[in-house]
Amino acid sequence: MTTDRYRYQFGPAIPVAEVETTLLLSVFGVEALHGESQTRLDAGHAFDARARTVAIDASTPVGRDLNRLFVGFLTREFGSGGFRVERIEHPPEPAPRPAPVTA
């Protein structure tokens, strides 16, 4: 199953504080387009400074806009070789098992 989730990886030459600032700038841009509430609901993202990664859920229109802004800003700031991006593949979730019935 293919999902619209992306992971960005940054090497040691890229300051993680600038990556975080770029992510926040992207979130502000999406808020200007979709509003703060919709962005909070539909623009899933995670920043991990220690792992030097950003993950973005682009499965909604708001998330897709966040992903577009983020990759655009990153490319302008660090160049296309300054980071690596990959689609995150998730296996389908197993169907929930019904709870056993006891009498």
Side-chain angles (χ1 to χ4, degrees):
M1 176 180 180
T2 301
T3 60
D4 290 332
R5 293 186 179 100
Y6 298 88
R7 180 183 301 118
Y8 294 83
Q9 180 74 51
F10 303 90
I14 305 298
V16 291
E18 290 186 33
V19 171
E20 184 177 28
T21 300
T22 302
L23 178 61
L24 290 174
L25 179 62
S26 302
V27 170
F28 294 155
V30 169
E31 285 179 355
L33 292 171
H34 297 280
E36 183 180 352
S37 297
Q38 202 63 48
T39 298
R40 286 180 143 224
L41 293 170
D42 289 343
H45 60 282
F47 170 69
D48 186 337
R50 186 172 236 165
R52 305 182 66 80
T53 61
V54 170
I56 295 178
D57 179 354
S59 63
T60 66
V62 180
R64 282 190 291 279
D65 285 345
L66 175 61
N67 195 53
R68 288 177 183 134
L69 287 172
F70 188 61
V71 75
F73 291 153
L74 286 176
T75 302
R76 282 197 167 277
E77 187 171 2
F78 304 118
S80 59
F83 60 94
R84 190 179 75 216
V85 61
E86 64 183 342
R87 186 183 298 259
I88 302 171
E89 301 290 336
H90 289 281
E93 292 290 321
R97 295 183 182 195
V101 177
T102 57

